[in-house]
Amino acid sequence: MLERKFPRLSSRLRASLLSAFALSLVLSPASAQDRPQQKLGSFEIARGREMLKVVKSDLEKNYYDPTFRGLDLEARYKQADEMIKSAQSNGQVFGIIAQLLIELDDSHTFFLPPTRATRTDYGWEMQMIGERCHVVGVRPGSDAEAKGLKEGDTVHLVDGMKPTRADLWKIQYLYNSLRPQAGMRLVVQGPGEPQPRQLDVMAKLNERARVTDLTDYDAYMRLVIEEQRIARLNRHRYIEMGDELFIWKMPRFDLPKDKVDDMAGKFRKFKSVIIDLRGNSGGFEETLLRLIGNFVEKDVKVGDLTRRKEVKPLVAKSVGANAYKGQLVVLIDSESGSSSELFARVMQLEKRGTVLGDRSAGAVMRARQMGHQVGLDIVAFYGVSVTDADLVMTDGKSLEHTGVTPDELLLPTAQDLAARRDPVLARAAALVGVQMSPEKAGALFPVEWRK
């Protein structure tokens, strides 16, 4: 159960939207970042065709369904190869490759394009809350802030596209991975405003090397520093409230077994634990199984992994007498995916904890990520994530495309977002006997931005 590496995506893909999205990937005008000065040369075309060939090979060798969900892979590959020959930009090449995988309608099978020469910082974030898309963060000092975009604004349109639970991920994948843009036109509406307003919000473009000379020490160190900054944003945070409550803000499932046990050692003495998985898109299976094992007193079957040639049970082994026995509340939202969803659902099925928040992403498969490179001393890295197993849980159901329905559905309002209140965390605390205002809950884990 790997997280998807394109930012914070929901998983559901509707067939009726596929053709329109394919056209947006392949035929839309190139952005300022990838618009070529002239037609792509033979080198770029050959490189794109080689990427496509490698991606197809990874899919053929590893995809869990040998019928590829009814997709005629060979025919689609040949069609994509012909399209690359006439592509006008690298962005179109990447879109053609991505579309081949998107047509499988699989949350964990997708293309990871080469790193861009610039990192695009849009200065704001959006998220589905219930069935509405809202602005959930605006970076101080950004053009978005200067143009008047505010947390709590409802997002009606992004460059003419309406974000919904079914297709918000496509907008994010397009803008953050495949075809970053210098800006976008938004139609938004604040809480209490009678009419929507239109904003042209520009991104900040930060230069970085698209390809890395592995013999260049300075370039290597810049990559190290960038990774350190990302790691800080994704660090695990927690709050201790007397001996009553331990709140763990878990950004992803990325801890080895011993580190999971270390965290369990921190909260074992507390009467209650809240694990906040909102925004957690998943991660490593090892982390998931060890976390489950720290909350159950016997081994628990998570479900059956279905591969091409075998069905294998996925079992979380209990830590035995060291398992935590206090109250547990798990928080999820529309961006909780993969391992986050499995943990929440197992706690429900085992009647071990209460799940609060919004319906989760429905992005639950098991995947492998394969990395590749083009070049020798100077290389460009790209990759592909391929689902190698489906997971059917002990109730006979898969969470793919459906997600986890909380025991108590509780959504922040636009007014809550604008005031930075967190009624979900406040409600979770109340369930375990700790009084906390939504205002205080909203200040515990403030939004942090990449430097």
Side-chain angles (χ1 to χ4, degrees):
M1 267 55 68
L2 292 172
E3 67 174 334
R4 292 170 296 174
K5 297 297 184 182
F6 39 97
R8 297 190 181 185
L9 311 180
S10 325
S11 66
R12 285 160 304 284
L13 184 64
R14 298 294 182 257
S16 61
L17 298 170
L18 281 173
S19 59
F21 185 51
L23 290 174
S24 73
L25 290 179
V26 177
L27 301 179
S28 61
S31 71
Q33 294 190 61
D34 63 25
R35 184 181 296 119
Q37 298 300 314
Q38 55 187 5
K39 186 176 179 179
L40 284 184
S42 59
F43 171 78
E44 287 84 2
I45 295 294
R47 184 178 64 177
R49 295 181 68 195
E50 178 62 23
M51 288 182 183
L52 176 67
K53 183 178 179 181
V54 171
V55 167
K56 173 178 177 279
S57 176
D58 283 342
L59 198 61
E60 287 178 322
K61 293 176 182 177
N62 298 288
Y63 196 63
Y64 80 102
D65 179 2
T67 70
F68 304 102
R69 295 191 170 188
L71 180 72
D72 187 337
L73 182 60
E74 189 62 35
R76 280 294 293 113
Y77 165 73
K78 291 179 179 178
Q79 181 183 19
D81 188 54
E82 287 299 317
M83 294 174 72
I84 288 177
K85 292 177 183 178
S86 58
Q88 299 298 306
S89 71
N90 284 322
Q92 287 187 2
V93 171
F94 300 156
I96 292 165
I97 298 172
Q99 180 61 27
L100 175 66
L101 301 180
I102 284 171
E103 290 180 15
L104 289 168
D105 189 11
D106 185 314
S107 67
H108 279 61
T109 300
F110 52 87
F111 176 56
L112 296 162
T115 303
R116 295 275 172 166
T118 55
R119 176 168 61 86
T120 306
D121 182 357
Y122 295 108
W124 66 286
E125 293 183 352
M126 60 181 166
Q127 178 182 334
M128 295 304 302
I129 297 176
E131 298 303 322
R132 292 182 176 231
C133 185
H134 287 280
V135 176
V136 295
V138 178
R139 182 172 189 151
S142 64
D143 187 65
E145 181 186 55
K147 295 292 177 58
L149 191 65
K150 292 181 173 57
E151 293 167 7
D153 283 350
T154 299
V155 182
H156 293 300
L157 296 173
V158 178
D159 284 335
M161 296 178 284
K162 180 176 178 59
T164 67
R165 269 193 177 251
D167 63 0
L168 175 60
W169 80 265
K170 290 181 287 187
I171 296 173
Q172 292 173 314
Y173 186 30
L174 180 64
Y175 280 82
N176 288 293
S177 294
L178 293 177
R179 304 287 294 278
Q181 303 291 310
M184 59 185 73
R185 174 163 290 178
L186 307 176
V187 176
V188 300
Q189 187 171 4
E193 292 181 351
Q195 296 294 329
R197 62 190 192 279
Q198 180 176 290
L199 304 174
D200 290 325
V201 176
M202 304 306 295
K204 181 179 180 181
L205 306 180
N206 301 296
E207 291 296 327
R208 66 181 178 187
R210 185 189 328 211
V211 295
T212 302
D213 184 348
L214 298 182
T215 66
D216 185 341
Y217 178 77
D218 290 338
Y220 171 75
M221 289 307 300
R222 285 195 294 271
L223 282 178
V224 171
I225 293 171
E226 185 172 355
E227 287 301 313
Q228 289 174 341
R229 289 173 174 169
I230 295 172
R232 184 184 182 280
L233 283 178
N234 292 317
R235 74 192 185 281
H236 293 249
R237 294 183 280 175
Y238 61 89
I239 299 291
E240 299 177 346
M241 303 186 70
D243 62 355
E244 294 291 321
L245 178 60
F246 184 96
I247 306 173
W248 179 5
K249 180 69 173 175
M250 189 179 188
R252 58 179 60 176
F253 283 70
D254 59 358
L255 300 178
K257 286 182 179 180
D258 61 326
K259 296 300 182 183
V260 175
D261 292 343
D262 287 347
M263 187 63 78
K266 295 180 187 298
F267 62 66
R268 193 169 288 120
K269 66 181 181 181
F270 289 83
K271 295 180 181 178
S272 303
V273 172
I274 297 173
I275 299 184
D276 189 347
L277 299 179
R278 292 174 295 178
N280 185 322
S281 57
F284 299 126
E285 185 178 288
E286 176 187 67
T287 310
L288 167 68
L289 297 181
R290 195 62 173 183
L291 186 61
I292 293 173
N294 270 282
F295 283 94
V296 294
E297 296 184 67
K298 59 180 178 62
D299 295 352
V300 169
K301 180 179 176 181
V302 177
D304 288 315
L305 288 168
T306 304
R307 298 187 176 92
R308 285 191 181 185
K309 298 181 180 180
E310 67 173 351
V311 176
K312 182 179 179 180
L314 182 65
V315 177
K317 294 187 176 297
S318 171
V319 298
N322 286 329
Y324 178 74
K325 300 174 178 63
Q327 288 182 284
L328 170 66
V329 181
V330 182
L331 308 185
I332 59 174
D333 64 8
S334 65
E335 294 182 346
S336 301
S338 197
S339 293
S340 294
E341 301 179 86
L342 290 172
F343 179 77
R345 185 57 180 151
V346 169
M347 294 302 102
Q348 283 183 327
L349 292 172
E350 295 296 316
K351 303 188 185 304
R352 180 59 191 86
T354 302
V355 179
L356 254 63
D358 198 355
R359 179 165 56 88
S360 64
V364 183
M365 305 289 269
R366 182 175 180 174
R368 295 180 57 199
Q369 291 189 352
M370 279 72 70
H372 302 289
Q373 67 183 55
V374 175
L376 296 175
D377 286 342
I378 298 178
V379 300
F381 299 99
Y382 68 100
V384 60
S385 175
V386 177
T387 294
D388 67 353
D390 192 6
L391 180 67
V392 178
M393 304 198 72
T394 56
D395 61 354
K397 299 177 182 178
S398 170
L399 296 176
E400 180 78 355
H401 298 319
T402 60
V404 177
T405 300
D407 298 306
E408 185 175 330
L409 187 66
L410 184 60
L411 309 178
T413 65
Q415 290 82 0
D416 289 326
L417 295 172
R420 299 183 181 177
R421 298 190 295 257
D422 189 346
V424 181
L425 180 53
R427 172 59 178 161
L431 285 179
V432 298
V434 175
Q435 297 304 309
M436 181 190 307
S437 69
E439 289 77 11
K440 180 179 179 180
L444 292 181
F445 302 105
V447 174
E448 296 180 337
W449 298 92
R450 184 174 175 179
K451 295 180 180 179

